[in-house]
Amino acid sequence: MCGIACLVGNKRAPEECYNALEKLEYRGYDSAGMALLTKEGIVIHKKQGRVENLKDFAFNSSSNIVISHTRWATHGEPNEINAHPHISQNKELALVHNGIIENYKELKEKLKEKGVNPVSQTDSEIALEIIAEEEGTVLQKVKNALKKLKGSYAFAIIDKKTKSIIGVRKNSPLYVAKTTKGIMLASDIICFNSLADEYHLVQENEIIQISKGKLKIFDENLKQVSISFTKMMDVGHIADKMGFEYFMEKEIREIPAVIKRIVSNYQDKKIIKEVVPFFNDIEKIVLIGCGTAYHACMYGAKLLSSVLNIDCNAYIASEYKYSKPIISEKTLGIFVSQSGETADTLGCINLFKEKGAKTLAVTNVLHSAIVNMCDGKLPVFAGAEIGVASTKAYVAQILVLYLLSKHLENPDYELIEELTLADKSKQVIKIDKEIVELIKASSKVFYIGRGYDSISSLEGALKLKEIAYISAEGYPAGELKHGTIALIEKGTPVIVFATEKKLFEKTMSACEEVCSRGAKVIVVCAKDTKIRDEFYKIELPSCENEELESILSIIPLQLLAFEVSKGLGYNPDKPRNLAKSVTVE
Ligand code: M6R
C-alpha cells in the first residue's frame, strides 16, 4: 500500500518525483523518502511522516535518476530507518517496494548466516540484499532473486553501475510512461496526468530498465520485447480541493453532482445492457469487497436477491478467499472496489477465473487492475476520491447496484423518481451542531437499523471509527437485545436509521428499548415521520421508493463523522494507521 514514483529525466528529477509522490500519498503516509544517483554515488533522504517533509530536499537537490516512495508500514514501525528507499550494504543498489515479502524471515536468517545484517526491520531490505548478493548484471540479479521471493511486490531499483532504474512487479501495480519530464515509473497513472499521452502497465513477467532517454522491456528470459502502450485517460483534477479545507468535505458536497452523472450515464441503458448477459444462466451471485465496498456488496446482494430468484450473497474478500468457496461456471462474481486495486478483492477474482466463472467489476477507477482482470465492468462515475474515508464512492456504488437491479427486474423500467435524487441529496448535506457536540463528547456510539438500514448502520459506524477514533458499533436493530444492549448506558448515543416503512414500528421498539436504558436517540427518517419529542431527528426528504431514501440516509452520517473528526482536531483526510488504497493482503 505504498506509492512509488521514479524518474530518469533532467536534473530536476527530485522535484518532479516529489510532485508525483504528493499525488500518491493516498497510498500511505507513514514515511517518505527518495534515492538520487549522483556523482558521489547513491544519496538517500528519508523522513518519518508526510511527503511534504521531503520538499526542501527535493527542491534543493539535483539528479537525473531518482526513485521515491511514500510508505504505509507493514513490517517495522513507521520510523526513519524503516522508511524507503533502502540501500544495499555494498552501496550499489537502492530499492523501493510496495507489497509484502512473505518469506522474509527465512531469507533474513540465510543472509545473517552469510554475515549480512539488515539495518531495518523491513521485508523490503531483505529483498534488496537478496537481489544484491546474486551474480551477474543487474537484470540477471533481479531475475534470479525473484525466484526466491514469495509474496507481492512492485520494486523500483537504482543500479549505480548501469545508471539505470529497474522495475518489476507481482500483484502490485506499476506503470511506465514517456513523459515530458523524462521516463517515469509509478504506482498509479495519476502521476503521468498532463505529462504523457500513453502509458504501459508493467506485466508480471517483465523487467523494465530505464536509462537516460531509453526504455527497455525484457521478458523472463531477459530477451528484449516490444512495448504496447495504452492511451492515457482523464483521471480528474485529483489535487484540487476546490476551496475546501479537506477533500472529504469536498467529496461529500460533490454527491449531488455524482448522482446526476450516474443517473444520466445509466439512463440510456447502454452500460447495463452490456452486462445483462452476465446474469443469464447463472445459479448464484457472489458480491465481494472490503470495508465500505463490502457494505455496498451487502446492499447489492439484498437488492439483487429481491429481483432475481437466486442466491445472492455478500462476502468480505479476505474471508472469502480462504474459505474454500464453492464456485462453478454458473456463479457470477461481482467485485466492488473504489480503487480497483484492493489486494484481497483482486485475490478473489483469481479464484473465479480459475473456475471459469464470470466476473464483473463495479469500480470508480477504470484503469485499475480490477477492470483489467474482470470480464465486464459497471463504472460508478464518482470522480477521483482522495479522502481516505469513502463517501461519494459509496453512494455511487449503491446507486449503480440499485440501477442494475431495477433494470434486471424490468428492462423497460424508466427512471422517474431517480431523476429527483440529486436535488434531494442536496437537502441532506447538513448536520445539526447539537448532534455533532453530542457525538464529540461520547466515547462510544451505536448505529442501528433493520433491512437496508442495518447496512447503513455498519457504514455509518465505520465512518466514525476511521476518522474520529470513537468506538462505534453498527448493529441490526432487532439483534441488539440479544447481547449488545448491555453496553447501553445513560447518555450513550444511539443513531437509528428508519427508512424502511414496513419495519418502522419494529425499529421504533428498539428505540424505546435503548431509550429506557438512558440512551440518547437520534433517528434518521423522512421529514414527516412522527417520533418522540425527546429524540433528535436527522430529516430525509421523503421518497416513494424507500430504497432511494435509504441511499440518501448515509450522507448526513458521513458529514457527521467529518464534523466530529474535524471538531476533535484530527485530519479527516488522513486518518491514522490507514491508507486509501490497500494493496497488501
Ligand atoms: O478501494 P476499495 O473500495 O476496494 O477499498 C476498500 C476499503 O479499503 C475501503 O472502502 C475502506 O474501508 C474505506 N477507508 C472506508 O471508508
Side-chain angles (χ1 to χ4, degrees):
M1 290 157 55
C2 306
I4 292 174
C6 312
L7 182 67
V8 177
N10 66 25
K11 288 203 157 39
R12 304 265 30 100
E15 196 178 311
E16 297 303 339
C17 276
Y18 175 84
N19 292 335
L21 212 53
E22 269 197 326
K23 297 180 188 164
L24 294 176
E25 246 194 344
Y26 74 89
R27 305 178 73 87
Y29 35 82
D30 285 333
S31 64
M34 47 176 66
L36 282 48
L37 185 62
T38 70
K39 281 188 191 121
E40 287 74 43
I42 297 173
V43 173
I44 305 274
H45 183 80
K46 45 195 194 179
K47 292 277 175 212
Q48 188 173 345
R50 305 276 306 270
V51 168
E52 66 188 10
N53 297 330
L54 301 181
K55 191 164 190 179
D56 286 347
F57 174 82
F59 281 70
N60 292 303
S61 307
S62 73
S63 167
N64 305 74
I65 301 183
V66 178
I67 58 173
S68 67
H69 188 264
T70 181
R71 178 173 188 240
W72 184 82
T74 57
H75 298 63
E77 61 182 275
N79 59 25
E80 211 166 289
I81 294 177
N82 292 328
H84 298 211
H86 297 285
I87 185 160
S88 61
Q89 300 201 348
N90 63 12
K91 311 287 181 225
E92 290 292 314
L93 305 174
L95 166 144
V96 289
H97 172 211
N98 169 31
I100 289 180
I101 303 304
E102 286 163 4
N103 59 337
Y104 85 104
K105 278 195 181 141
E106 173 195 328
L107 296 172
K108 191 174 184 172
E109 287 317 310
K110 286 189 182 148
L111 286 171
K112 279 186 175 168
E113 282 164 20
K114 292 178 188 166
V116 181
N117 287 304
V119 292
S120 74
Q121 300 159 299
T122 65
D123 52 336
S124 314
E125 190 190 356
I126 305 302
L128 171 63
E129 291 302 343
I130 293 293
I131 297 170
E133 69 162 13
E134 289 292 332
E135 298 292 332
T137 64
V138 68
L139 292 174
Q140 286 161 339
K141 283 174 190 282
V142 171
K143 176 191 159 199
N144 294 334
L146 292 185
K147 292 181 194 146
K148 299 181 179 167
L149 305 180
K150 287 193 191 136
S152 62
Y153 50 78
F155 290 132
I157 305 159
I158 288 187
D159 176 42
K160 190 173 135 190
K161 205 175 279 167
T162 54
K163 295 193 178 61
S164 65
I165 294 176
I166 306 295
V168 279
R169 76 172 189 103
K170 185 180 162 207
N171 290 335
S172 289
L174 197 59
Y175 301 88
V176 67
K178 291 178 180 169
T179 76
T180 51
K181 306 291 178 186
I183 302 173
M184 198 177 255
L185 190 65
S187 301
D188 191 322
I189 65 166
I190 53 168
C191 297
F192 312 146
N193 216 14
S194 76
L195 300 178
D197 297 329
E198 50 184 23
Y199 67 89
H200 171 75
L201 168 64
V202 178
Q203 299 298 300
E204 301 217 338
N205 55 354
E206 289 176 346
I207 303 183
I208 300 276
Q209 185 169 36
I210 310 167
S211 46
K212 203 166 178 211
K214 279 191 201 138
L215 168 61
K216 289 183 185 166
I217 303 196
F218 301 91
D219 66 13
E220 62 267 41
N221 301 314
L222 300 186
K223 188 169 164 280
Q224 197 173 334
V225 292
S226 56
I227 310 167
S228 60
F229 286 100
T230 305
K231 228 176 136 25
M232 266 299 278
M233 53 190 86
D234 183 15
V235 283
H237 303 287
I238 61 107
D240 198 347
K241 289 198 195 123
M242 312 286 271
F244 289 100
E245 194 181 352
Y246 294 104
F247 280 110
M248 185 176 174
E249 184 178 7
K250 175 200 154 220
E251 288 159 6
I252 294 171
R253 296 198 183 277
E254 276 173 353
I255 289 173
V258 171
I259 294 178
K260 209 169 180 173
R261 188 156 61 227
I262 295 171
V263 172
S264 108
N265 283 336
Y266 276 83
Q267 207 170 8
D268 76 357
K269 303 186 175 179
K270 193 168 164 264
I271 304 173
I272 291 194
K273 276 186 183 160
E274 275 177 26
V275 304
V276 166
F278 286 71
F279 293 83
N280 294 342
D281 199 25
I282 48 162
E283 283 168 357
K284 68 171 178 180
I285 300 179
V286 171
L287 293 99
I288 295 178
C290 302
T292 289
Y294 165 63
H295 297 155
C297 289
M298 293 175 78
Y299 210 90
K302 218 168 150 39
L303 282 164
L304 291 171
S305 55
S306 70
V307 299
L308 305 169
N309 211 9
I310 53 171
D311 260 5
C312 303
N313 286 301
Y315 294 92
I316 293 172
S318 55
E319 289 297 314
Y320 188 79
K321 194 170 164 199
Y322 300 103
S323 65
K324 292 204 186 150
I326 301 165
I327 306 168
S328 79
E329 283 171 11
K330 294 196 173 215
T331 310
L332 169 63
I334 301 184
F335 302 89
V336 182
S337 172
Q338 186 286 130
S339 64
E341 298 290 349
T342 301
D344 290 319
T345 308
L346 299 183
C348 293
I349 301 175
N350 284 327
L351 295 181
F352 278 69
K353 295 190 95 63
E354 280 161 22
K355 302 279 179 184
K358 286 180 216 139
T359 52
L360 182 58
V362 176
T363 189
N364 196 27
V365 182
L366 293 181
H367 62 272
S368 59
I370 199 173
V371 174
N372 276 314
M373 291 168 77
C374 284
D375 304 315
K377 62 174 184 295
L378 285 172
V380 304
F381 299 111
E385 189 180 69
I386 305 299
V388 165
S390 191
T391 52
K392 60 176 182 169
Y394 175 67
V395 174
Q397 287 160 353
I398 58 178
L399 179 57
V400 165
L401 289 166
Y402 162 89
L403 294 171
L404 171 69
S405 72
K406 286 289 171 199
H407 184 88
L408 293 173
E409 183 178 31
N410 172 11
D412 297 324
Y413 183 80
E414 289 297 330
L415 304 185
I416 298 170
E417 201 186 4
E418 293 75 6
L419 300 177
T420 67
L421 194 66
D423 279 340
K424 285 183 177 162
S425 71
K426 287 183 192 156
Q427 299 167 36
V428 294
I429 309 183
K430 59 174 191 226
I431 189 76
D432 206 323
K433 275 205 176 91
E434 218 181 313
I435 299 177
V436 174
E437 291 309 315
L438 170 67
I439 304 298
K440 264 169 69 184
S442 305
S443 58
K444 63 178 174 202
V445 180
F446 289 87
Y447 291 70
I448 61 170
R450 286 170 177 262
Y452 291 105
D453 289 333
S454 75
I455 304 167
S456 306
S457 303
L458 294 174
E459 179 55 13
L462 178 60
K463 287 297 90 108
L464 192 70
K465 281 185 264 204
E466 71 176 330
I467 61 169
Y469 320 137
I470 294 173
S471 193
E473 191 155 1
Y475 225 72
E479 184 66 7
L480 203 65
K481 57 187 173 297
H482 296 285
T484 307
I485 200 165
L487 290 166
I488 306 290
E489 293 172 290
K490 194 167 173 3
T492 306
V494 178
I495 297 173
V496 185
F497 289 86
T499 69
E500 291 227 22
K501 306 286 177 282
K502 63 180 181 303
L503 297 170
F504 181 77
E505 292 309 332
K506 292 201 183 307
T507 305
M508 284 303 114
S509 303
C511 289
E512 294 302 329
E513 288 156 15
V514 294
C515 179
S516 53
R517 282 146 184 99
K520 294 218 162 147
V521 176
I522 303 150
V523 186
V524 189
C525 58
K527 210 185 256 164
D528 49 9
T529 310
K530 290 222 167 351
I531 54 168
R532 270 169 57 169
D533 287 348
E534 62 265 51
F535 294 169
Y536 296 87
K537 191 172 182 185
I538 295 178
E539 291 182 346
L540 305 172
S542 302
C543 298
E544 247 170 62
N545 183 340
E546 52 189 52
E547 287 149 6
L548 293 178
E549 202 171 297
S550 152
I551 293 175
L552 294 177
S553 71
I554 193 61
I555 302 169
L557 279 302
Q558 295 173 339
L559 195 64
L560 173 67
F562 168 79
E563 291 296 348
V564 171
S565 169
K566 195 173 89 166
L568 290 172
Y570 303 126
N571 177 348
D573 281 349
K574 298 253 177 326
R576 68 185 180 211
N577 307 337
L578 292 175
K580 181 74 180 159
S581 195
V582 185
T583 59
V584 291
E585 269 196 70

